[in-house]
Amino acid sequence: MDLPHEEANELKKERSLRGRLVRNLSHLVAGKAASTGIGLITLALTARLLGPTSFGIVALIESYCRLVDQVLRLETWQAVLRYGTGAVIGGDRGKLASLIKLGILVDVAGALLVTTVALAAAPLASAFFGWTDEARTLAQIYALSLLFGVSSTPVGILRLFGRFAQAAWIDPVLAVLRLAGILVITIADGGLAEVVGLLISLVIAERLITTTLAWRTLRTEGIAGVTGASLGGWRHAFPGIVSFIWSANASVLLRKATQELDTLAVGLFLGSANAGLYQFARRIMQAVSKSAQMLQQVVTPDLARLWAQSAWVRFMRVVRRIEMATIGAAMAAIVILAVAGPQIILAAGGPAFAAAYSPLVAYAVAIALFLAGTTMRSALMVSGHQHAVLQSAMAATVIYLIILVPSIKIFGVTGASIAQIGFSAVALGVTYRSFRALVARSQAEPPPCRA
């Protein structure tokens, strides 16, 4: 007699979850679709305004500052999701306030550290890449924007409470501002300095807007007194949080560092013009792959919620469905770029960027391989198996570092994309093995509730 009732409840939960995923994804799609289209137009205008060499200098400045930022600053949004989900479900607002305060303190300390290091090391980077005095000064000014890097915890807050509709408009607004800025710079016959200044302004604006939305969300949810929240006994309140943050950041660091190292390596061995070609190809691929990345942003909070509720069956169902959707989107991107890549490059950058086709297609393969395992990595993270994600990132980084320089020397700019393929392939293989182990353990020792 109870079975139909249980099946009805299960069906209701499934529909609720599916509806929430669709709603959240629709919010992001609306914003990302607009920002992607505008972003490609802006990329085309910027590439034609600067040309490969100056475009490459901008890429090197951005990569240098991002690398310092990613190596030294700890991201906290994963911890906010991991530990905040339980606090929200349990209605413990005081515990959540303490978690947010802890995250903000880590954000502030990291922002101060990375800004100091980026400023101090800029002369060394300038000598390394042969920058002009103007480029070195611009790199130091760009480094100052890292002071506004207190955005990881706010991002976690927005994702924890599912504020995708509020956050969705940030990208389109910034995309419009970026396009307007490039148009003004082009009309005013501006150049390198003006483009870097525009990028700095947009970085600061994005982080301030994100922080403002997060604080407004906290007020709406009745989470008050964050600044005065007690941090006494925080290790006991959030067991394993230090290990979690270190492991989560190490894996993210290794992935993001490789995304900046290749641009820097191309600039070092092949010059700024080739760095510009590689960055141009990478920007196009990043714009195309945003549809797959949106799925991951939407699904992670729900995976954390399902794991906290021990809803193993629905947890696995979501992982499978999102993996298939992600792989489909990535494969479609490869086909489109392989067929229409030359026309896209010609329309966007002009003949000066024609050599970006090969690195573009190779980078598309790398992105497809990496995205194929993203939902599995999210599942491992929210289930407390962040060490497995770290292991996959470490193994992939070793392969990447071994083949990066030889690939660039043998294959030129395309070699950097080949190194990314090596990273993504190894990361996918190790992640899949770890996820299969998680499935086997969960089937042998099922959670208390398998709803």
Side-chain angles (χ1 to χ4, degrees), residues 64-360:
Y64 161 71
C65 290
R66 287 174 181 167
L67 182 62
V68 174
D69 184 44
Q70 290 157 6
V71 167
L72 297 178
R73 182 172 57 84
L74 297 176
E75 291 190 353
T76 53
W77 71 266
Q78 301 101 324
V80 172
L81 275 180
R82 172 83 168 87
Y83 293 91
T85 299
V88 170
I89 292 175
D92 194 339
R93 296 181 179 180
K95 184 177 182 179
L96 182 58
S98 297
L99 175 64
I100 292 171
K101 180 177 180 178
L102 179 63
I104 291 173
L105 290 177
V106 174
D107 285 350
V108 170
L112 292 173
L113 176 62
V114 299
T115 301
T116 301
V117 173
L119 283 171
L124 179 61
S126 178
F128 218 55
F129 296 105
W131 287 341
T132 63
D133 291 340
E134 178 191 23
R136 183 191 64 207
T137 301
L138 290 174
Q140 290 176 312
I141 296 174
Y142 193 102
L144 291 174
S145 68
L146 301 178
L147 276 173
F148 293 83
V150 190
S151 60
S152 188
T153 297
V155 167
I157 293 170
L158 293 175
R159 292 181 180 179
L160 176 64
F161 289 105
R163 292 300 193 269
F164 293 95
Q166 292 183 13
W169 64 270
I170 297 178
D171 276 351
V173 169
L174 291 174
V176 170
L177 292 176
R178 187 179 293 111
L179 176 59
I182 290 297
L183 287 173
V184 170
I185 293 171
T186 302
I187 294 172
D189 199 24
L192 179 64
E194 289 76 15
V195 171
V196 173
L198 173 64
L199 294 177
I200 292 170
S201 301
L202 293 172
V203 168
I204 295 172
E206 179 181 16
R207 293 177 174 181
L208 290 177
I209 292 171
T210 302
T211 301
T212 300
L213 287 176
W215 282 106
R216 187 173 298 172
T217 297
L218 290 178
R219 288 197 299 270
T220 302
E221 296 293 332
I223 311 299
V226 170
T227 56
S230 172
L231 292 180
W234 59 271
R235 285 179 179 270
H236 176 73
F238 312 109
I241 190 171
V242 175
S243 173
F244 180 88
I245 291 177
W246 279 113
S247 296
N249 276 271
S251 57
V252 171
L253 159 65
L254 292 173
R255 173 55 185 163
K256 288 189 174 181
T258 60
Q259 292 179 326
E260 307 304 336
L261 278 176
D262 47 14
T263 300
L264 296 174
V266 171
L268 179 63
F269 292 104
L270 303 179
S272 297
N274 283 302
L277 290 175
Y278 181 70
Q279 182 75 347
F280 180 78
R282 202 176 76 162
R283 287 285 179 84
I284 291 178
M285 189 56 229
Q286 288 173 338
V288 173
S289 66
K290 281 184 177 180
S291 59
Q293 294 170 348
M294 284 187 294
L295 290 172
Q296 314 308 325
Q297 294 177 28
V298 168
V299 75
T300 301
D302 282 299
L303 286 178
R305 190 176 296 108
L306 291 174
W307 186 263
Q309 296 170 343
S310 298
W312 173 248
V313 173
R314 282 182 286 138
F315 181 88
M316 283 301 303
R317 190 179 295 131
V318 170
V319 172
R320 286 194 297 268
R321 288 177 177 174
I322 299 301
E323 279 290 351
M324 294 303 297
T326 302
I327 293 172
M331 294 302 297
I334 293 177
V335 173
I336 292 172
L337 289 173
V339 174
Q343 291 75 23
I344 293 173
I345 292 172
L346 183 64
F353 287 87
Y357 174 70
S358 292
L360 172 65

Side-chain angles (χ1 to χ4, degrees), residues 18-38:
R18 190 181 307 160
R20 183 166 60 250
L21 288 172
V22 170
R23 285 194 304 273
N24 290 339
L25 183 60
S26 66
H27 292 316
L28 286 179
V29 166
K32 290 291 185 181
S35 61
T36 297
I38 296 172

